[in-house]
């Protein structure tokens, strides 16, 4: 019961801090002081108090988009195990639902973008759906590999299964998986090298350009949803990359939080030392990640 | 409870009623009355048919009817088993919806062809009932040909249009090639069994080569009708140019007859050769990926839906392939999950594809075009069709909480279970393939829905589009409710299909229960409800918050450009351009670029962009142009003089009489 409460509290309250840490890391690399760690929370509070501007071309779809996207992401957050504890909702076959909830949220994010009739948002939507097509098989190759290792169809078993012993036994496969999943994590969350969340040119953006016309509370919902998605996919990554379980629930939670913060610093570092890829190169990297994950599956067949 | 009257007789009565439904209209001098009467009769037949289907599913034994006709092919046998039922359920539902819809969509006072269309629609539906009930190959072929030909007359309703004439010819060619393969197949079966009656299930064991020929001819004949690649070439054109309610029937029901044929043929064998499962799995995966890749680039609303039918047929074949591979590998989880996936998808595709085709009819009525790049902003003008179309789009992408997800869930569980258990998990590769197909489907239907219904109208016609009448929206509403109910409470679908899986896959009840317990059917309902509750709560909170805060209207942000026009919007073509380029190996495009002399194109400069159909445009058309040239020499014996033709017949007869000696 305590674990369920902690799970919900961490999933609801923690995600914006990741954005704050990423921002701070990037500022440190650039030699600036940067915005405070809690800046994303202030932004959210401010946005929920702001008025909204709606384009005349928009319909109810524009308003429903962020709401449905956030709802689907919230459910995904309940399906994954955090900090070596079983998920709040867990059943056989939940990994497929997990993947498809992101499909649902993508559908609504992109049609909300198209609802504005802006060509920039059309571009963003087209890129989003195109790139995620290529990222999807990677996720499933990784899930099959992990399912085979843990002999289970339940996310809670699959993601808490990796242990130091497994890392030692099939390290190559795990390394490939971690690599492929990290690429997918960056692509799905529109981070550098796929997309620059801080860019100022609409022509080159992916996620940010889709939400150009959202304002006020709706934009707050979108920002929060994006942070939550980063948190959820980050947690999947951390579960596999950091196979440490002490057996003490509270220490496990602390390790998990710490690992998530390290992940945020890593993402910030990647964003500071890398440039954005040209748009035409992105599919190549995504297909590369798919092949890495296919290799991982092949290596566990022995 | 159903034992009083045999359900099979209801099916035969329903078929008769549907076949005759269009006849009074031909005699009445008020064609509109005939159309209304026909719709009424088909709806009555649909209720009778669904009643019989439910009766058969709940265990009422079907009776075999035997008609001793004077033809030398053995008695005509008719019966309905559980395999027939799974195809009859969507058939009757879609036929009922379509006939109600047709009254307003193709009204007799506007179209002179309405009487003919109504007549053939009834015959078409009835012939398909007989197809799934025939247990004698000659009767089967007869019903099959009536189905194929009535479909031809339906799809060439606008016969004065040259496009329609062309696709009509292509369709006739395709269906007759298929029929030829079926003649060969049934002749071989007749040789093997000595009778035209269908062999009992799992009774036939043929020599390896004969079995191979039977299965290959079945795949050509039935697979061509189903739209399996590479025999799909007739499908996009035929579905696009037929009246929309006919497209709904063809795509939602007729394609499935091909699947029925393959399933029925395979059921004859004691043991299906090992390679068949892999072949079907491969063909299914190929059709799924190529079908949706072709759909992604389309600009024509109905052509896009037609290509996505190829994808869905591919998914159904993936399910069948998994089941066959499972039999071969002694993996009951593959058999059960594959069959569940295939059967559930057969029902689901009947629901959402018919819904989308009926929706496309409404759009064509409203805008007078099938080009999605000339639509836009229709959600405001069509407040009923727009959400119904959205439900269909979400369902066809296989997204929760709609019904499309349920069928795919079974396939995924089967594939990933294989990944866990099998020493060499080749069948597990189905999962990434389905994921890729699902991603492409999201892209395609985001484009379809977004470009048609959202944004600003791209043409005058779209700006003045209008909502359809209740007789057109009510059938769509029914189908959308089906999608929603089956998706929210998937237990409904699973209970419907379980007896059929047990029957066709020969699975014992405990094994069935053990394997389905791995598939999250009940938890899915809980998550679906949770999703709806969350959307309601967050949505309500958001709307309440909006009320308290200041709100303003403005134009869409255009990088500070103050006078945007609707023509600046992204079009469907630009939306899919990036993906179409990535898929260059699968989808070929034909671009005509103008040469530009100055920085600005001169007036009248045009850029054209068309997708080419690989099999039809690149292979069949050139080959047949060559064949046509070669045959021009034969033209000399084709001069149209009747008495010489009679001479030919006489000469042929003489040869045939002399030949045996």
């Amino acid at each position: 019961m305590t674990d369920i409460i902690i799970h919900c509290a961490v999933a609801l309250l923690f995600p914006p801090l990741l954005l704050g840490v990423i921002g701070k890391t990037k500022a440190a690399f650039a030699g600036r002081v940067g915005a405070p760690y809690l800046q994303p929370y202030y932004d959210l509070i401010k946005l929920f108090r702001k008025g909204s501007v709606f384009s005349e071309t928009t319909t109810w779809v524009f308003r429903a988009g962020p709401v449905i996207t956030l709802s689907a992401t919230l459910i995904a957050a309940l399906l994954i195990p955090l900090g070596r504890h079983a998920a709040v909702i867990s059943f056989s076959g939940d990994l497929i639902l997990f993947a498809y909830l992101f499909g649902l949220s993508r559908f609504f994010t992109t049609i909300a973008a198209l609802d504005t009739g802006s060509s920039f948002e059309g571009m963003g939507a087209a890129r989003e759906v195109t790139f995620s097509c290529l990222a999807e098989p990677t996720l499933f190759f990784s899930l099959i590999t992990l399912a085979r290792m843990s002999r289970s169809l339940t996310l809670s078993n699959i993601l808490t299964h990796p242990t130091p012993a497994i890392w030692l036994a099939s390290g190559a496969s795990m390394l490939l998986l971690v690599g492929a999943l990290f690429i997918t994590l960056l692509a799905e969350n529109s981070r550098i090298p796929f997309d620059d969340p801080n860019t100022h040119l609409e022509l080159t953006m992916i996620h940010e350009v889709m939400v150009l016309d959202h304002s006020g509370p709706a934009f707050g919902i979108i920002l929060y949803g994006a942070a939550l998605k980063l948190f959820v996919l980050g947690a999947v990554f951390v579960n596999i990359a950091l196979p440490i379980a002490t057996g003490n629930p509270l220490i496990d939670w602390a390790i998990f939080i710490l690992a998530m913060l390290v992940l945020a610093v890593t993402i910030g570092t990647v964003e500071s030392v890398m440039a954005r890829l040209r748009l035409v190169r992105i599919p190549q990297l995504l297909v590369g990640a798919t092949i890495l994950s296919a290799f991982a599956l092949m290596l566990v067949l022995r | 409870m159903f034992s009083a009257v045999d359900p099979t007789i209801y099916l035969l009565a329903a078929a008769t009623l549907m076949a005759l439904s269009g006849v009074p209209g031909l005699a009445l001098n008020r064609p509109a009355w005939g159309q209304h009467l026909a719709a009424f009769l088909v709806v009555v037949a649909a209720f009778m048919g669904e009643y019989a289907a439910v009766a058969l599913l709940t265990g009422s034994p079907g009776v075999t009817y035997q008609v001793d006709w004077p033809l030398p092919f053995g008695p005509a046998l008719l019966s309905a088993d559980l395999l027939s039922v799974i195809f009859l359920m969507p058939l009757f539902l879609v036929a009922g919806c379509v006939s109600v819809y047709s009254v307003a969509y193709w009204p007799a006072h506007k179209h002179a062809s309405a009487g003919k269309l109504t007549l053939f629609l009834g015959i078409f539906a009835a012939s398909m009932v007989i197809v799934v009930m025939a247990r004698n190959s000659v009767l089967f072929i007869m019903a099959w040909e009536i189905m194929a030909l009535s479909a031809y007359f339906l799809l060439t309703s606008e016969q004065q249009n040259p496009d329609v004439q062309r696709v009509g010819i292509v369709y006739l060619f395709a269906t007759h090639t298929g029929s030829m393969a079926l003649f060969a197949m049934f002749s071989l079966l007749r040789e093997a069994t000595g009778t035209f009656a269908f062999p009992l299930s799992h009774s036939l064991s043929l020599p390896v080569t004969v079995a191979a020929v039977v299965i290959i001819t079945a795949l050509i004949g039935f697979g061509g009708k189903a739209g399996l690649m590479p025999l799909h070439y007739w499908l996009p054109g035929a579905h696009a140019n037929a009246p929309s309610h006919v497209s709904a029937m063809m795509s939602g029901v007729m394609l499935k007859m091909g699947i029925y044929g393959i399933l029925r043929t395979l059921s004859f064998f004691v043991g299906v050769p090992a390679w068949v499962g892999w072949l079907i799995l491969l063909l299914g995966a190929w059709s799924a990926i190529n079908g949706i890749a072709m759909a992604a680039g389309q600009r024509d609303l109905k052509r896009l839906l037609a290509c996505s039918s190829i994808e869905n047929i591919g998914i159904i074949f993936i399910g069948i392939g998994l089941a066959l591979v499972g039999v071969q590998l002694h993996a009951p989880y593959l058999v059960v999950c594959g069959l569940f996936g295939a059967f559930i998808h057969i029902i689901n595709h009947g629901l959402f594809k018919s819904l989308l085709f009926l929706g496309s009819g409404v759009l064509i009525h409203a805008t007078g075009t099938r080009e999605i790049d000339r639509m836009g902003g229709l959600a405001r003008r069509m407040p009923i069709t727009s959400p119904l179309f959205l439900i269909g789009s979400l369902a066809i992408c296989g997204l929760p909480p709609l019904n499309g997800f349920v069928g795919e869930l079974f396939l995924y569980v089967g594939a990933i279970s294989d990944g866990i258990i099998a020493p060499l998990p080749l069948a597990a590769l189905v999962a990434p393939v389905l994921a890729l197909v699902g991603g492409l489907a999201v892209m395609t239907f985001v484009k379809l829905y977004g470009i048609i219904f959202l944004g600003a109208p791209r043409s005058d016609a779209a700006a003045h589009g209008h909502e359809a009448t209740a007789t057109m929206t009510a059938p769509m509403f029914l189908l959308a409710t089906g999608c929603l109910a089956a998706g929210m409470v998937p237990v409904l679908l699973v209970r419907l299909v379980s007896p059929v899986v047990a029957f066709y896959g020969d699975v014992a009840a405990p094994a069935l229960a053990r394997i389905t317990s791995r598939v999250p059917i009940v938890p899915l309902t809980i998550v679906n409800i949770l999703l709806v509750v969350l959307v309601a709560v967050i949505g309500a909170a958001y709307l309440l918050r909006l009320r308290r805060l200041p709100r303003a209207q403005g134009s869409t942000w255009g990088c500070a450009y103050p006078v945007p026009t609707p023509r600046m919007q992204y079009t469907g073509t630009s939306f899919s351009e990036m993906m179409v380029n990535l898929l260059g190996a699968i989808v070929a495009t034909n671009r005509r670029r103008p040469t530009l002399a100055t920085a600005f194109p001169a007036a009248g400069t045009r850029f054209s962009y068309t997708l080419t159909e690989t099999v039809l445009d690149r292979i069949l058309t050139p080959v047949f142009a060559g064949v046509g040239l070669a045959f021009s020499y034969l033209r000399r014996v084709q001069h149209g003089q009747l008495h010489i033709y009679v001479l030919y017949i006489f000469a042929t007869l003489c040869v045939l009489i002399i030949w045996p000696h």
Side-chain angles (χ1 to χ4, degrees):
Chain A
M1 191 64 206
T2 358
D3 281 335
I4 292 177
I5 294 169
I6 298 178
H7 185 115
C8 293
V10 168
L12 286 176
L13 299 176
F14 183 64
L17 185 64
L18 293 175
L19 297 182
V21 173
I22 293 176
K24 203 75 174 170
T25 312
K26 289 170 81 171
F29 267 90
R32 293 182 279 115
V33 178
Y37 289 108
L38 296 183
Q39 187 61 41
Y41 295 92
Y42 305 146
D43 289 348
L44 287 176
I45 292 167
K46 187 179 69 186
L47 282 169
F48 285 121
R49 286 184 184 162
K50 280 204 152 214
S52 311
V53 183
F54 288 105
S55 159
E56 283 126 4
T57 48
T58 56
T59 60
W60 62 273
V61 171
F62 185 74
R63 272 150 249 224
V67 173
I68 295 175
T69 303
L70 177 62
S71 309
T73 318
L74 276 173
I75 291 183
L78 296 180
L79 289 176
I80 45 155
L82 303 178
R84 320 303 287 181
H85 299 88
V88 177
I89 307 174
S90 169
F91 47 84
S92 166
D94 55 2
L95 70 175
I96 303 149
L97 186 65
F98 177 77
Y100 269 69
L101 282 171
F102 288 109
L104 181 68
S105 60
R106 182 176 319 124
F107 196 102
F108 276 93
T109 311
T110 44
I111 62 170
L114 288 175
D115 199 13
T116 60
S118 150
S119 51
F120 295 118
E121 297 187 39
M123 276 176 210
R127 287 167 190 164
E128 167 85 9
V129 288
T130 306
F131 296 150
S132 55
C133 277
L134 301 174
E136 212 110 302
T138 314
L139 186 61
F140 272 94
F141 269 122
S142 316
L143 287 176
I144 296 174
T145 314
L146 292 165
R148 189 178 178 88
M149 286 176 170
S150 62
R151 309 193 82 75
S152 168
L153 281 169
T154 312
L155 274 177
S156 287
N157 297 341
I158 289 175
L159 294 179
T160 53
H161 181 71
T163 55
I166 287 181
W167 263 91
L168 284 176
S170 41
S173 173
M174 292 302 279
L175 267 181
L176 287 169
L177 265 191
V178 165
L181 279 176
F182 190 66
I183 294 175
T184 316
L185 169 74
L186 294 180
E188 284 282 335
N189 288 297
S190 310
R191 314 299 309 189
I192 289 176
F194 296 94
D195 185 15
D196 186 354
N198 295 332
T199 181
H200 292 287
L201 184 59
E202 287 89 340
L203 272 173
T204 61
M205 296 193 265
I206 301 176
H207 184 261
E208 294 309 304
V209 77
M210 283 197 291
V211 299
L212 272 182
D213 263 83
H214 287 280
S215 52
F219 191 55
I221 293 177
I222 289 171
L223 270 190
Y224 178 67
L228 188 63
K229 187 178 178 185
L230 177 66
F231 171 79
V232 171
L233 291 175
V236 171
F237 177 79
V238 161
N239 274 321
I240 297 163
L242 195 77
I244 297 170
T246 56
N248 180 333
L250 285 177
I251 296 178
D252 279 347
W253 276 114
I255 293 174
F256 171 74
I257 302 267
L258 209 65
M260 289 300 286
L261 292 175
V262 171
L263 177 70
V265 172
T266 315
I267 294 175
T269 313
V270 169
E271 300 215 332
S272 308
V273 300
M274 275 188 86
R276 255 200 51 202
L277 283 175
R278 279 167 61 205
L279 271 181
V280 287
R281 297 260 174 242
I282 292 179
Q284 299 171 359
L285 185 55
L286 287 173
V287 172
T290 307
I291 297 170
L292 286 187
S293 58
F295 266 123
L297 176 60
M298 237 191 227
L299 287 178
V300 296
L301 289 187
R302 290 173 295 130
Chain B
M1 96 195 237
F2 290 111
S3 57
V5 182
D6 163 52
T8 318
I9 197 80
Y10 277 95
L11 293 175
L12 292 174
T16 318
L17 206 57
M18 289 199 292
L20 298 176
S21 64
V23 177
L26 298 178
L28 288 173
N29 54 3
R30 296 279 288 276
W33 290 5
Q35 217 179 5
H36 281 90
L37 181 63
F40 174 73
L41 290 178
V42 173
V43 169
V44 170
F47 273 107
M48 285 165 65
E50 294 295 355
Y51 168 77
V54 171
L56 285 165
L57 270 181
T58 45
S60 171
V63 177
T64 304
Y65 285 85
Q66 176 171 343
V67 184
D68 290 310
W69 55 4
L71 300 176
F73 306 115
L77 301 170
L78 287 156
S79 85
D81 58 8
L82 288 173
L83 181 64
S84 318
V85 168
I86 206 75
F87 291 88
L88 286 170
M89 276 189 298
L91 193 163
F92 283 115
L93 176 65
V94 175
C97 289
V98 158
S99 63
V100 172
Y101 179 92
S102 71
V103 173
Y105 179 68
W106 206 262
H109 63 87
K110 271 195 196 154
H111 299 273
S113 59
K116 177 190 124 183
L117 201 66
T118 314
L119 176 72
F120 280 115
L121 199 62
I123 294 176
F124 182 51
S127 65
M128 289 193 281
V129 178
I130 302 302
V131 163
V132 296
M133 291 180 68
R135 294 292 178 271
N136 170 300
S137 42
V138 177
L139 178 67
F140 180 91
I141 284 276
M142 284 177 170
W144 184 264
E145 283 298 301
I146 294 174
M147 170 187 86
L149 290 179
S150 48
Y152 170 76
F153 289 118
L154 288 170
L155 80 89
T156 53
S157 296
E158 291 169 288
Q159 50 193 271
Q160 59 286 356
N161 180 339
D163 281 347
V164 175
Q165 288 166 8
R166 179 171 179 266
V167 301
I169 299 282
V170 173
Y171 169 78
L172 267 189
F173 170 78
T175 185
H176 281 126
T177 338
S179 299
M180 247 156 55
L182 293 185
F183 275 110
M185 183 195 95
F186 283 123
S187 313
L188 281 172
L189 283 180
R190 162 80 173 77
E191 281 300 304
T193 62
T195 160
F196 279 108
F198 279 2
L200 295 172
S201 60
H202 308 301
S203 69
L204 194 64
S205 72
L206 297 177
V208 180
T209 45
V210 182
V213 176
V214 166
I215 288 169
I216 293 289
T217 44
L219 275 177
I220 294 173
F222 293 127
K225 184 57 82 186
L228 193 64
M229 287 216 171
L231 299 170
H232 66 283
Y233 56 87
W234 61 274
L235 197 153
H239 283 56
N241 286 288
S244 294
H245 61 299
V246 173
S247 317
M249 266 307 258
M250 285 173 68
S251 187
V253 186
M254 186 183 79
L255 300 185
K256 313 298 176 355
M257 294 298 127
I259 292 170
Y260 167 79
I262 287 178
L263 285 174
R264 179 63 75 192
T265 312
L266 291 176
S267 78
F268 297 156
F269 291 90
V270 174
V272 176
W275 52 271
V276 178
W278 293 109
L279 178 67
I280 289 183
L281 192 57
L282 221 58
L283 286 174
W286 188 28
S287 300
I289 295 176
N290 281 258
I292 195 64
M294 277 163 59
Q298 299 295 335
R299 282 180 307 189
D300 179 327
L301 158 63
K302 287 176 68 181
R303 212 169 250 278
L304 187 151
L305 292 177
C307 291
S308 117
S309 290
I310 301 174
E311 172 227 334
N312 282 283
I313 292 296
I315 293 178
I316 295 170
F317 272 97
I318 287 178
I320 297 171
L322 278 184
L324 292 172
V325 166
V327 171
Q328 183 217 333
L329 298 177
H330 306 292
Y333 56 92
L334 278 183
V335 179
V336 171
C337 289
L339 286 181
F340 260 112
F343 288 141
I344 289 179
H345 210 75
I346 285 168
I347 295 180
N348 282 343
H349 186 241
L351 289 173
F352 52 63
K353 191 46 76 65
S354 311
L355 167 62
L356 289 173
F357 266 121
L358 295 186
S360 73
V362 175
L363 288 165
I364 291 168
H365 256 205
T367 60
T369 176
R370 298 197 314 246
E371 284 267 320
I372 61 171
D373 288 352
R374 300 183 59 77
M375 299 185 188
L378 285 163
R380 286 165 176 274
R381 305 197 62 90
M382 304 169 94
I384 300 169
T385 305
S386 155
L388 295 179
F389 205 90
L390 181 61
I391 289 179
S393 305
L394 288 168
I396 204 166
C397 293
L399 294 174
L402 287 142
N403 61 346
F405 181 64
V406 185
E408 296 197 16
L409 184 62
F410 274 94
L411 297 182
Y412 274 117
V413 170
I416 299 178
S417 301
D418 190 61
I420 295 173
I421 299 166
L424 186 67
L426 278 175
L429 294 180
V430 162
V433 166
L434 281 178
L436 178 65
V437 169
L440 282 167
V442 166
M443 191 216 127
T444 308
F445 284 90
V446 162
K447 157 180 152 174
L448 189 70
Y449 185 79
I451 302 297
I452 292 176
F453 287 100
L454 306 176
R458 290 178 181 77
S459 67
D460 269 356
H464 297 101
H466 56 87
E467 186 55 274
T469 55
T471 33
M472 279 166 80
T473 47
M476 289 163 58
F477 188 79
L478 181 66
L479 292 168
T481 314
C483 291
L484 206 58
M488 285 297 288
V489 194
V491 174
L492 295 174
L493 275 176
V494 174
R495 299 234 348 230
L496 210 60
V497 170
S498 291
V500 188
V501 173
F503 166 78
Y504 190 79
D506 250 340
V507 189
L512 198 72
R514 184 170 47 81
I515 294 163
T516 46
S517 73
R518 292 169 72 86
V519 185
I521 304 155
V522 179
L524 185 57
T525 309
I526 298 169
V527 171
N528 284 339
I529 293 171
L530 190 63
L531 182 69
V532 172
V533 170
L534 266 179
V535 169
V537 170
I538 299 176
Y542 172 54
L543 290 180
L544 283 178
R545 194 79 206 132
L546 269 189
R547 266 205 203 155
R548 298 237 180 101
L549 298 167
R551 238 195 305 185
Q553 289 264 319
S555 62
T556 298
W557 170 245
C559 269
Y561 184 71
V563 280
T565 71
R567 288 204 53 183
M568 290 178 185
Q569 293 175 92
Y570 239 41
T571 60
T573 312
S574 35
F575 191 82
S576 54
E577 200 253 353
M578 188 181 234
M579 191 39 116
V580 168
N581 285 347
L582 285 176
L583 294 168
I586 298 174
V587 201
T589 51
N590 195 355
R591 294 169 203 216
R592 278 202 209 130
R593 293 173 197 280
T595 43
L596 297 182
T598 57
F600 292 98
T605 313
R606 298 196 76 76
F607 169 79
S608 83
Y609 178 98
T610 42
L611 285 179
T612 52
E613 170 70 55
T614 311
V615 176
L616 187 61
D617 293 340
R618 298 212 169 169
I619 301 171
L620 287 181
T621 309
V623 166
F624 276 85
V627 171
L629 216 61
F631 271 90
S632 61
Y633 297 102
L634 262 181
R635 261 282 180 59
R636 288 180 204 158
V637 295
Q638 287 276 12
H639 33 60
Q641 294 182 26
L642 192 63
H643 57 286
I644 313 262
Y645 283 130
V646 178
L647 185 66
Y648 290 162
I649 297 173
F650 179 72
T652 317
L653 251 178
C654 285
V655 172
L656 286 177
I657 287 170
I658 297 164
W659 188 270
H661 305 285

